[in-house]
Amino acid sequence: MKALLVANALAALVSAGSSVAGVLRPGLVLSAGEVITAGTGLYARAYAVRAVPLGLATAWVLLAGPRAAAWPMLVVSGLAQVGDSAIGAKQRNAGMAFGAGAVAVLHLASAWWLYGKSGS
């Protein structure tokens, strides 16, 4: 179980880190040939101010927080990743679509497994 929690925590931290990368290079989420505008930078910053705390909170809950909070935190994080994956697909950004999709599957499957283990 520890390995599963660590894998999810690392995925949450990578997700948070990718949002910081988006602030530093806003064009990362754009399709090839799209122009970076002031709106692109604003979106990247607005995304990061949510993604970083969510990623850090998820990692903390999984590694050091109350065990009962692990599966609900993974559900919230997994649903956020589903949204990110949908945005990536709409933007035709395969890395974002598949990366966030894979993390969504990891988080949501882990939440389901942990919920079953908790006897809730």
Side-chain angles (χ1 to χ4, degrees):
M1 180 187 313
K2 186 69 171 173
L4 182 66
L5 296 175
V6 169
N8 277 279
L10 289 174
L13 293 173
V14 167
S15 178
S18 70
S19 74
V20 173
V23 169
L24 299 174
R25 292 189 50 214
L28 289 175
V29 297
L30 299 177
S31 299
E34 284 191 65
V35 178
I36 299 171
T37 66
T40 308
L42 173 65
Y43 169 79
R45 291 187 305 277
Y47 175 76
V49 299
R50 288 159 180 78
V52 170
L54 179 60
L56 294 175
T58 300
W60 180 82
V61 165
L62 296 176
L63 299 176
R67 191 62 58 224
W71 74 263
M73 191 79 221
L74 285 170
V75 169
V76 171
S77 292
L79 293 174
Q81 293 294 334
V82 168
D84 289 347
S85 181
I87 291 168
K90 180 150 177 59
Q91 292 296 319
R92 291 181 167 66
N93 183 321
M96 184 177 178
F98 291 112
V103 174
V105 169
L106 174 65
H107 285 342
L108 294 173
S110 298
W112 176 78
W113 186 78
L114 289 170
Y115 178 78
K117 298 292 274 182
S118 71
S120 298

